[in-house]
Amino acid sequence: MVTAQPGKSENEHYPSKKKMLRIVIWYHFWEISAKVKKLPEINTPLKAKEESLGPIQEVLDQLEQRLTGNDFICGPDYSLADCLYTCLLARLSMIDLLKDQIANRPNLATWWGKVQMRPSFKSAGIVAQGIMGTMAKKFCTIL
């Protein structure tokens, strides 16, 4: 049991809640910064963008090949595969990255146009453009 020193109450031996909170925050900051230092170094925001888009570019290249001679990914009809990639391209469009990605992929660009014209695209409320891209480009240096 802790005994109080002369002139101090028993609670004064322990840090205040505010001080404990500072200690906990500092500890977590230190722990996170130690983990970040172990991550592979990304020198520039553009390099981070390229590394993030790398896997997506491979998928888009495969889609471009798959759409050669087809209206949709699995043939003449819209399928679940088309639904999946509609979501991917809509997200890229939301953050203004799609135009660059389909610029050299004519089959994919044609497919994207067909998908956007479908009544189900409009009734699903898919947001393929909007303020998000403008805001993201304004506040994020890699977009």
Side-chain angles (χ1 to χ4, degrees), residues 12-25:
E12 290 180 35
H13 289 284
Y14 302 101
S16 68
K17 289 181 182 179
K18 192 174 183 180
K19 188 171 185 177
M20 282 302 294
L21 182 61
R22 285 186 193 146
I23 292 168
V24 169
I25 290 170

PDB file of all heavy atoms in Angstrom, residues 12-25:
ATOM      1  N   GLU A  12      -2.123  12.030  -5.094  1.00  0.00           N
ATOM      2  CA  GLU A  12      -1.087  12.850  -5.696  1.00  0.00           C
ATOM      3  C   GLU A  12       0.133  12.033  -6.095  1.00  0.00           C
ATOM      4  O   GLU A  12       1.002  12.524  -6.800  1.00  0.00           O
ATOM      5  CB  GLU A  12      -0.681  13.978  -4.749  1.00  0.00           C
ATOM      6  CG  GLU A  12      -1.768  15.024  -4.596  1.00  0.00           C
ATOM      7  CD  GLU A  12      -1.362  16.136  -3.652  1.00  0.00           C
ATOM      8  OE1 GLU A  12      -0.177  16.493  -3.626  1.00  0.00           O
ATOM      9  OE2 GLU A  12      -2.248  16.635  -2.950  1.00  0.00           O
ATOM     10  N   HIS A  13       0.214  10.771  -5.667  1.00  0.00           N
ATOM     11  CA  HIS A  13       1.327   9.908  -6.037  1.00  0.00           C
ATOM     12  C   HIS A  13       1.183   9.392  -7.466  1.00  0.00           C
ATOM     13  O   HIS A  13       2.147   8.953  -8.060  1.00  0.00           O
ATOM     14  CB  HIS A  13       1.446   8.716  -5.074  1.00  0.00           C
ATOM     15  CG  HIS A  13       1.925   9.107  -3.722  1.00  0.00           C
ATOM     16  ND1 HIS A  13       3.242   9.409  -3.465  1.00  0.00           N
ATOM     17  CD2 HIS A  13       1.258   9.264  -2.554  1.00  0.00           C
ATOM     18  CE1 HIS A  13       3.378   9.714  -2.196  1.00  0.00           C
ATOM     19  NE2 HIS A  13       2.182   9.630  -1.613  1.00  0.00           N
ATOM     20  N   TYR A  14      -0.014   9.444  -7.996  1.00  0.00           N
ATOM     21  CA  TYR A  14      -0.294   8.927  -9.324  1.00  0.00           C
ATOM     22  C   TYR A  14      -0.470  10.083 -10.294  1.00  0.00           C
ATOM     23  O   TYR A  14      -0.969  11.139  -9.925  1.00  0.00           O
ATOM     24  CB  TYR A  14      -1.556   8.059  -9.305  1.00  0.00           C
ATOM     25  CG  TYR A  14      -1.446   6.901  -8.352  1.00  0.00           C
ATOM     26  CD1 TYR A  14      -2.052   6.950  -7.096  1.00  0.00           C
ATOM     27  CD2 TYR A  14      -0.714   5.776  -8.699  1.00  0.00           C
ATOM     28  CE1 TYR A  14      -1.933   5.892  -6.225  1.00  0.00           C
ATOM     29  CE2 TYR A  14      -0.587   4.711  -7.824  1.00  0.00           C
ATOM     30  CZ  TYR A  14      -1.199   4.776  -6.584  1.00  0.00           C
ATOM     31  OH  TYR A  14      -1.068   3.725  -5.725  1.00  0.00           O
ATOM     32  N   PRO A  15      -0.086   9.883 -11.560  1.00  0.00           N
ATOM     33  CA  PRO A  15      -0.276  10.961 -12.546  1.00  0.00           C
ATOM     34  C   PRO A  15      -1.760  11.261 -12.736  1.00  0.00           C
ATOM     35  O   PRO A  15      -2.609  10.379 -12.609  1.00  0.00           O
ATOM     36  CB  PRO A  15       0.321  10.401 -13.832  1.00  0.00           C
ATOM     37  CG  PRO A  15       1.041   9.156 -13.477  1.00  0.00           C
ATOM     38  CD  PRO A  15       0.567   8.728 -12.133  1.00  0.00           C
ATOM     39  N   SER A  16      -2.060  12.483 -13.067  1.00  0.00           N
ATOM     40  CA  SER A  16      -3.454  12.859 -13.323  1.00  0.00           C
ATOM     41  C   SER A  16      -3.951  12.166 -14.582  1.00  0.00           C
ATOM     42  O   SER A  16      -3.161  11.663 -15.396  1.00  0.00           O
ATOM     43  CB  SER A  16      -3.562  14.378 -13.494  1.00  0.00           C
ATOM     44  OG  SER A  16      -2.909  14.768 -14.689  1.00  0.00           O
ATOM     45  N   LYS A  17      -5.246  12.156 -14.766  1.00  0.00           N
ATOM     46  CA  LYS A  17      -5.821  11.545 -15.973  1.00  0.00           C
ATOM     47  C   LYS A  17      -5.309  12.242 -17.226  1.00  0.00           C
ATOM     48  O   LYS A  17      -5.025  11.608 -18.227  1.00  0.00           O
ATOM     49  CB  LYS A  17      -7.352  11.610 -15.920  1.00  0.00           C
ATOM     50  CG  LYS A  17      -7.955  10.689 -14.910  1.00  0.00           C
ATOM     51  CD  LYS A  17      -9.459  10.781 -14.923  1.00  0.00           C
ATOM     52  CE  LYS A  17     -10.048   9.883 -13.858  1.00  0.00           C
ATOM     53  NZ  LYS A  17     -11.513   9.963 -13.822  1.00  0.00           N
ATOM     54  N   LYS A  18      -5.166  13.550 -17.161  1.00  0.00           N
ATOM     55  CA  LYS A  18      -4.677  14.313 -18.301  1.00  0.00           C
ATOM     56  C   LYS A  18      -3.239  13.902 -18.638  1.00  0.00           C
ATOM     57  O   LYS A  18      -2.893  13.703 -19.800  1.00  0.00           O
ATOM     58  CB  LYS A  18      -4.750  15.801 -17.978  1.00  0.00           C
ATOM     59  CG  LYS A  18      -4.536  16.708 -19.151  1.00  0.00           C
ATOM     60  CD  LYS A  18      -4.785  18.154 -18.740  1.00  0.00           C
ATOM     61  CE  LYS A  18      -4.646  19.081 -19.920  1.00  0.00           C
ATOM     62  NZ  LYS A  18      -4.876  20.467 -19.558  1.00  0.00           N
ATOM     63  N   LYS A  19      -2.424  13.745 -17.612  1.00  0.00           N
ATOM     64  CA  LYS A  19      -1.035  13.352 -17.841  1.00  0.00           C
ATOM     65  C   LYS A  19      -0.971  11.917 -18.370  1.00  0.00           C
ATOM     66  O   LYS A  19      -0.180  11.607 -19.264  1.00  0.00           O
ATOM     67  CB  LYS A  19      -0.222  13.484 -16.557  1.00  0.00           C
ATOM     68  CG  LYS A  19       1.256  13.283 -16.775  1.00  0.00           C
ATOM     69  CD  LYS A  19       2.058  13.633 -15.546  1.00  0.00           C
ATOM     70  CE  LYS A  19       3.535  13.527 -15.840  1.00  0.00           C
ATOM     71  NZ  LYS A  19       4.352  13.926 -14.719  1.00  0.00           N
ATOM     72  N   MET A  20      -1.810  11.040 -17.842  1.00  0.00           N
ATOM     73  CA  MET A  20      -1.850   9.654 -18.326  1.00  0.00           C
ATOM     74  C   MET A  20      -2.265   9.611 -19.792  1.00  0.00           C
ATOM     75  O   MET A  20      -1.724   8.851 -20.579  1.00  0.00           O
ATOM     76  CB  MET A  20      -2.820   8.808 -17.490  1.00  0.00           C
ATOM     77  CG  MET A  20      -2.255   8.392 -16.149  1.00  0.00           C
ATOM     78  SD  MET A  20      -0.734   7.442 -16.272  1.00  0.00           S
ATOM     79  CE  MET A  20      -1.298   5.965 -17.074  1.00  0.00           C
ATOM     80  N   LEU A  21      -3.232  10.452 -20.159  1.00  0.00           N
ATOM     81  CA  LEU A  21      -3.674  10.509 -21.551  1.00  0.00           C
ATOM     82  C   LEU A  21      -2.529  10.954 -22.455  1.00  0.00           C
ATOM     83  O   LEU A  21      -2.307  10.383 -23.521  1.00  0.00           O
ATOM     84  CB  LEU A  21      -4.867  11.455 -21.690  1.00  0.00           C
ATOM     85  CG  LEU A  21      -5.466  11.576 -23.080  1.00  0.00           C
ATOM     86  CD1 LEU A  21      -5.979  10.227 -23.569  1.00  0.00           C
ATOM     87  CD2 LEU A  21      -6.579  12.597 -23.091  1.00  0.00           C
ATOM     88  N   ARG A  22      -1.757  11.954 -22.013  1.00  0.00           N
ATOM     89  CA  ARG A  22      -0.601  12.397 -22.786  1.00  0.00           C
ATOM     90  C   ARG A  22       0.410  11.271 -22.954  1.00  0.00           C
ATOM     91  O   ARG A  22       0.986  11.093 -24.021  1.00  0.00           O
ATOM     92  CB  ARG A  22       0.069  13.586 -22.095  1.00  0.00           C
ATOM     93  CG  ARG A  22      -0.661  14.870 -22.242  1.00  0.00           C
ATOM     94  CD  ARG A  22       0.146  16.005 -21.643  1.00  0.00           C
ATOM     95  NE  ARG A  22      -0.681  17.176 -21.508  1.00  0.00           N
ATOM     96  CZ  ARG A  22      -0.567  18.046 -20.527  1.00  0.00           C
ATOM     97  NH1 ARG A  22       0.344  17.885 -19.595  1.00  0.00           N
ATOM     98  NH2 ARG A  22      -1.355  19.081 -20.479  1.00  0.00           N
ATOM     99  N   ILE A  23       0.635  10.520 -21.888  1.00  0.00           N
ATOM    100  CA  ILE A  23       1.584   9.401 -21.943  1.00  0.00           C
ATOM    101  C   ILE A  23       1.110   8.354 -22.944  1.00  0.00           C
ATOM    102  O   ILE A  23       1.876   7.865 -23.772  1.00  0.00           O
ATOM    103  CB  ILE A  23       1.789   8.791 -20.538  1.00  0.00           C
ATOM    104  CG1 ILE A  23       2.520   9.794 -19.639  1.00  0.00           C
ATOM    105  CG2 ILE A  23       2.551   7.475 -20.621  1.00  0.00           C
ATOM    106  CD1 ILE A  23       2.526   9.418 -18.174  1.00  0.00           C
ATOM    107  N   VAL A  24      -0.177   8.007 -22.882  1.00  0.00           N
ATOM    108  CA  VAL A  24      -0.733   7.001 -23.790  1.00  0.00           C
ATOM    109  C   VAL A  24      -0.650   7.475 -25.238  1.00  0.00           C
ATOM    110  O   VAL A  24      -0.239   6.730 -26.125  1.00  0.00           O
ATOM    111  CB  VAL A  24      -2.196   6.665 -23.401  1.00  0.00           C
ATOM    112  CG1 VAL A  24      -2.881   5.849 -24.473  1.00  0.00           C
ATOM    113  CG2 VAL A  24      -2.228   5.939 -22.073  1.00  0.00           C
ATOM    114  N   ILE A  25      -1.002   8.738 -25.490  1.00  0.00           N
ATOM    115  CA  ILE A  25      -0.936   9.278 -26.850  1.00  0.00           C
ATOM    116  C   ILE A  25       0.499   9.269 -27.350  1.00  0.00           C
ATOM    117  O   ILE A  25       0.786   8.866 -28.477  1.00  0.00           O
ATOM    118  CB  ILE A  25      -1.539  10.702 -26.915  1.00  0.00           C
ATOM    119  CG1 ILE A  25      -3.053  10.620 -26.711  1.00  0.00           C
ATOM    120  CG2 ILE A  25      -1.202  11.391 -28.220  1.00  0.00           C
ATOM    121  CD1 ILE A  25      -3.727  11.958 -26.527  1.00  0.00           C
TER     122      ILE A  25
END
